[in-house]
Amino acid sequence: MNSLNDTLPAAGGGMARAFTANFLGEAPDWYKLTIALFLILNPILLYATSPFVAGWVLIGEFIFTLAMALKCYPLQPGGLLAIEAVLLGLTSSDAVYHEVKENLQVILLLMFMVAGIYFMKSLLLYVFTKLLVGIRSKTTLSLLFCGVSAILSAFLDALTVTAVLIAVAVGFYAVYHKTASNRPAHSDHDHSHDDHVVEYHRSDLDQFRAFLRSLIMHGAVGTALGGVCTLVGEPQNLLIAEKAGWDFVQFFQQMAPVTIPAFAAGLTTCFLLEKAKVFGYGAKLPDAVREVLSNFATEQEQKRTQRDVVELWVQGIVAVILVLSLAFHVAEVGIIGLMIIVLLTAFNGVIQEPRIGHAFEEALPFTALLVVFFAIVAVIHQQHLFEPITHFVLSLEPEQQPGTLFLANGVLSMISDNVFVATVYINEVKDALLAGDITREHFDKLAIAINTGTNLPSVATPNGQAAFLFLLTSALAPLIRLSYGRMVVMALPYTLVLTVVALTCVVFAI
């Protein structure tokens, strides 16, 4: 018989193994070890160096969790880092709450608008299936995705448009994946696993993934091209317009010398990428997939009942209401989203709680992640991590400031939150204006530099823009194998072109 002393180490070892297995679940062991080392290193670094250094290291660690989003959803490791930051005094719970409160409109948008788009998926799938099957030119289709996303984002919101793109792509993927897995059309099917995919369908499935990746990235960049143009395109635009005293038309006119050339450059880049087939672009829709989608569209047409037709009409009418409500900014975007949910569910008979609850599954994990992100932003704010850069830019000669401010905002937005960066800088230059340190004309130039700097170069990384981060952490990303690194590579040509064109315009055209 084993003695108690012999049993305890064995039991303790089993508990340790169980704890290790439970910690971050199915994430690779090396990833678990890395996060554990981060958590151990941070307090040592804080007391050995300074809060400023520890704060910058924390940003790097958080970006790592975003980069490894396909290994482990960033909410858990990023959340642990945020909790530790509060415990170490790098920020406070009050500061985190303040950041959340300041960004409540973005949180409401995610909670309600994304769910609202879910109830519109029948109409979206119907319209985009017609386009996908009807337009055989990949270049034309790519320009359409990029251009339409830009136009919609100028009057709606980049996150809303991204939610539409995600819903459409997931719908297409699910239709073909079921066929590739030899599953009956009306059976339940988990399209997140390839266990049942027939071998001769795998190459077409991989090409279809590449096709969807390129379309989605063109569309995502389009949201940035359009979002920078108008007062309602991005959250920071509204803030900048308020500080500058610009209305909708004035904002567009002030930004036009930079945003119009950038828009043209973006569409040109889209065209050239598809023709050159570089940086992960150029994949065409396989004929087998086109046939499946075409058959699906025909089958849907044939079995569509009168109730289905009415449902599509309701979704179409509500879509028009959505566009008009957002364009005229009748309420905060999230409140409009809740209105859309009520209208779509009420008039299409979706009244069971489980059916309604399913619509929120996509949005709420990202909403929670965004709150964690705001905790990291609170560290940036409280430790004044960007202050040296701000002081350096404003110490330059006036003619050097717009270009330098554009680049500074661009780089900081790539690693932080473009809304936060814009807030910091517009407040600084507004204070300088009120103090009489700069003229009104110079203030306008700096405001243009801040807006375009936070919106355009920030396409470089998924954490640069909320729409990109939403795409990275969505249900679509793992389906089409869209990782952090792949997003960075695919965004690189756009980043270089938009940065060079916009910087040139900021320096010489405003």
Side-chain angles (χ1 to χ4, degrees):
M1 183 179 293
N2 292 331
S3 67
L4 183 61
N5 288 335
D6 293 332
T7 305
L8 283 176
M15 289 289 288
R17 284 192 296 272
F19 178 82
T20 303
N22 285 344
F23 178 65
L24 298 182
E26 298 174 358
D29 289 341
W30 65 265
Y31 181 90
K32 297 180 181 184
L33 181 61
T34 302
I35 299 300
L37 289 175
F38 285 167
L39 296 172
I40 294 170
L41 172 67
N42 289 336
I44 297 173
L45 196 62
L46 175 62
Y47 294 111
T49 57
S50 68
F52 185 86
V53 172
W56 273 107
V57 171
L58 182 73
I59 292 175
E61 293 169 349
F62 185 72
I63 291 174
F64 171 83
T65 68
L66 298 178
M68 296 290 110
L70 297 187
K71 300 293 183 185
C72 176
Y73 192 71
L75 173 63
Q76 290 77 24
L80 291 174
L81 292 171
I83 292 169
E84 185 179 56
V86 173
L87 293 176
L88 292 175
L90 290 173
T91 187
S92 66
S93 57
D94 288 340
V96 175
Y97 177 73
H98 174 75
E99 294 295 336
V100 171
K101 187 169 64 174
E102 289 295 306
N103 291 277
L104 182 60
Q105 60 181 8
V106 179
I107 293 173
L108 288 176
L109 183 153
L110 283 168
M111 289 174 61
F112 297 131
M113 186 59 78
V114 175
I117 297 301
Y118 173 87
F119 291 112
M120 212 178 285
K121 64 180 182 180
S122 298
L123 176 66
L124 295 172
L125 197 57
Y126 172 79
V127 172
F128 279 91
T129 300
K130 292 287 187 184
L131 291 175
L132 201 63
V133 174
I135 300 175
R136 291 188 169 271
S137 168
K138 173 64 184 310
T139 303
T140 303
L141 200 59
S142 298
L143 286 170
L144 186 67
F145 264 67
C146 188
V148 171
S149 295
I151 293 169
L152 288 176
S153 295
F155 294 98
L156 307 183
D157 177 270
L159 279 169
T160 304
V161 177
T162 305
V164 171
L165 295 175
I166 291 170
V168 168
V170 170
F172 287 151
Y173 184 86
V175 168
Y176 180 68
H177 197 276
K178 182 178 286 189
T179 300
S181 303
N182 272 353
R183 286 291 182 267
H186 303 292
S187 65
D188 291 333
H189 175 64
D190 183 1
H191 53 258
S192 63
H193 296 288
D194 291 350
D195 299 341
H196 300 290
V197 173
V198 180
E199 193 60 38
Y200 64 81
H201 281 306
R202 288 188 181 273
S203 61
D204 282 338
L205 182 61
D206 288 339
Q207 188 176 340
F208 187 39
R209 285 181 174 130
F211 172 83
L212 288 177
R213 275 199 306 270
S214 59
L215 280 186
I216 289 298
M217 283 301 295
H218 286 313
V221 172
T223 64
L225 292 174
V228 68
C229 293
T230 65
L231 183 148
V232 296
E234 291 281 354
Q236 68 265 33
N237 299 14
L238 198 58
L239 173 69
I240 291 169
E242 181 185 345
K243 296 290 184 182
W246 296 331
D247 60 21
F248 190 95
V249 175
Q250 287 175 312
F251 186 94
F252 178 81
Q253 290 174 336
Q254 290 282 357
M255 298 299 160
V258 181
T259 56
I260 300 302
F263 178 72
L267 290 182
T268 303
T269 304
C270 174
F271 176 83
L272 294 175
L273 285 172
E274 285 300 322
K275 291 300 184 183
K277 299 181 179 180
V278 292
F279 292 96
Y281 295 98
K284 297 183 181 298
L285 181 66
D287 291 335
V289 180
R290 183 184 298 277
E291 184 180 352
V292 168
L293 295 178
S294 180
N295 292 339
F296 169 76
T298 303
E299 181 185 344
Q300 293 297 105
E301 289 279 0
Q302 291 173 347
K303 72 175 188 178
R304 188 167 288 123
T305 65
Q306 197 66 41
R307 288 190 64 177
D308 294 330
V309 173
V310 171
E311 183 177 322
L312 288 177
W313 272 104
V314 168
Q315 291 181 18
I317 292 169
V318 173
V320 173
I321 294 172
L322 169 63
V323 171
L324 293 175
S325 299
L326 290 169
F328 290 102
H329 200 64
V330 299
E332 287 297 334
V333 179
I335 304 302
I336 294 173
L338 181 56
M339 177 186 72
I340 296 305
I341 292 173
V342 172
L343 292 175
L344 287 173
T345 53
F347 288 99
N348 282 333
V350 182
I351 57 173
Q352 296 82 15
E353 184 180 355
R355 291 181 65 190
I356 297 171
H358 190 63
F360 291 87
E361 290 179 2
E362 177 73 16
L364 287 184
F366 181 72
T367 305
L369 174 61
L370 201 62
V371 173
V372 169
F373 184 67
F374 292 145
I376 305 301
V377 171
V379 173
I380 295 172
H381 199 175
Q382 200 149 333
Q383 299 305 324
H384 309 289
L385 300 186
F386 293 169
E387 203 168 79
I389 304 170
T390 306
H391 289 162
F392 168 74
V393 171
L394 294 179
S395 68
L396 296 173
E397 293 298 321
E399 62 272 13
Q400 296 177 312
Q401 289 180 10
T404 308
L405 197 57
F406 173 89
L407 290 175
N409 276 263
V411 172
L412 292 175
S413 293
M414 292 177 194
I415 61 175
S416 177
D417 169 41
N418 54 7
V419 178
F420 171 74
V421 174
T423 303
V424 170
Y425 278 95
I426 196 64
N427 285 331
E428 290 284 344
V429 298
K430 185 61 182 287
D431 290 344
L433 174 66
L434 296 176
D437 297 333
I438 59 175
T439 65
R440 174 67 205 203
E441 182 183 5
H442 190 59
F443 170 83
D444 289 346
K445 290 182 179 181
L446 295 182
I448 295 168
I450 292 169
N451 183 64
T452 53
T454 54
N455 275 301
L456 295 174
S458 57
V459 301
T461 64
N463 44 297
Q465 295 209 3
F468 277 47
L469 186 59
F470 181 41
L471 174 59
L472 175 68
T473 56
S474 70
L476 176 65
L479 298 181
I480 61 175
R481 309 299 189 260
L482 187 60
S483 64
Y484 188 102
R486 182 166 264 163
M487 284 187 75
V488 170
V489 170
M490 295 183 77
L492 180 60
Y494 279 111
T495 305
L496 295 175
V497 170
L498 294 179
T499 300
V500 170
V501 170
L503 177 60
T504 303
C505 293
V506 165
V507 173
F508 297 107
I510 63 173

